[in-house]
Amino acid sequence: MTSSAHSASLKAAILTAIALALLVPLTLLSSLVAERVSQRDAAVQSVARGWGDRQWLAGPIIAIPVTIEGEHPRTCDWYVLPDRLDLVVELKVEEERRRLGVYEVPVYVARVHAVGEFDLNREIVRLTRGETALHLHLDQARLLLPVNDPRGLRALAASAPALKDFEPSDGFPLPVLAAPLAGAAEFSDRRQAFDLTFEVAGTQSLGFLPLARTVHVAAHGNWPDPGFTDGFLPLERHIDA
């Protein structure tokens, strides 16, 4: 073996040893970061269980049981989205953050005013056009209100007294509150307006689901450094110093 080959082998061995030596602190640092992230996530979830988790909100949805006649009849829910939905949101981030150990978790309360209307007659005509094997149970209609974490619901008021008995319900792809809609048969031949106001508490983020033919959201609050992700960006935004 020549001296040059021996020198190259020695350099390679030294570089390999240095690389292996550097991997030890990097591995320890990576484990420390993962542990801190896990502890922070646990702190956030602990606060969310008592205050409210990330919130995704939408306007009301009508659910009507429909029986499909035939050799094997079955009944399922038919969902009617609003024709128009306007959401006005007043967001208040609490000045005092919730603390768990060394971790601070920002929390908020959002007051949401939802107004809009359904065109149930048009949707019924569209569903039953040419179909004779469908039977709509309008007397069992329900109004659903999607709220990602119902534990954060603080208050709810509706223009119609019959829409105040909201309770958690299942069967919908998202967590919802449901109230009986006894008058569905009465307004199935005309447009029906709705007016709801509710307050929800949450942590980390607030999102809105575009579950209507047209949706308009106007939100304002004291969130100091908002970010806009996971969907449509706002057409207009203004952040005060």
Side-chain angles (χ1 to χ4, degrees):
M1 179 180 293
T2 63
S3 60
S4 60
H6 178 74
S7 177
S9 299
L10 180 61
K11 290 179 180 179
I14 293 174
L15 290 175
T16 302
I18 293 175
L20 291 175
L22 290 176
L23 283 177
V24 175
L26 287 176
T27 301
L28 294 176
L29 181 60
S30 177
S31 299
L32 178 61
V33 171
E35 180 183 0
R36 293 295 174 86
V37 170
S38 177
Q39 290 176 351
R40 182 190 179 280
D41 290 343
V44 170
Q45 289 304 313
S46 178
V47 172
R49 283 193 295 269
W51 183 270
D53 208 340
R54 297 175 183 266
Q55 294 291 7
W56 287 92
L57 309 176
I61 299 168
I62 295 178
I64 302 174
V66 177
T67 298
I68 304 173
E69 306 291 350
E71 184 178 354
H72 301 286
R74 61 187 181 91
T75 300
C76 57
D77 279 336
W78 173 52
Y79 300 108
V80 181
L81 302 182
D83 212 43
R84 174 181 59 85
L85 173 63
D86 295 323
L87 295 175
V88 178
V89 184
E90 181 179 349
L91 180 67
K92 180 184 178 183
V93 179
E94 299 294 319
E95 295 182 2
E96 182 180 353
R97 297 191 174 193
R98 300 301 183 267
R99 296 182 62 91
L100 191 63
V102 298
Y103 302 100
E104 291 186 346
V105 181
V107 296
Y108 64 82
V109 175
R111 179 179 176 84
V112 183
H113 185 204
V115 296
E117 62 182 10
F118 292 96
D119 192 342
L120 186 56
N121 179 59
R122 183 192 63 201
E123 299 303 323
I124 290 177
V125 170
R126 181 178 299 175
L127 176 69
T128 58
R129 182 183 297 124
E131 294 288 345
T132 59
L134 295 179
H135 177 62
L136 276 66
H137 303 277
L138 292 174
D139 58 326
Q140 301 177 29
R142 310 183 312 281
L143 194 69
L144 308 182
L145 184 64
V147 178
N148 184 56
D149 187 359
R151 294 173 301 181
L153 187 67
R154 297 290 184 85
L156 192 154
S159 57
L163 297 180
K164 293 184 178 180
D165 299 327
F166 280 93
E167 295 182 354
S169 179
D170 53 14
F172 192 71
L174 302 171
V176 294
L177 301 171
L181 193 61
E186 299 177 4
F187 64 76
S188 61
D189 60 345
R190 65 180 188 277
R191 288 178 175 267
Q192 174 67 21
F194 59 84
D195 188 330
L196 296 173
T197 301
F198 55 97
E199 287 186 359
V200 290
T203 58
Q204 302 186 80
S205 66
L206 175 65
F208 305 96
L209 302 171
L211 299 181
R213 184 177 293 271
T214 60
V215 180
H216 178 262
V217 178
H220 64 278
N222 62 338
W223 200 301
D225 48 358
F228 305 97
T229 60
D230 297 335
F232 300 104
L233 294 176
L235 296 178
E236 298 179 6
R237 60 180 180 177
H238 178 71
I239 301 175
D240 295 326

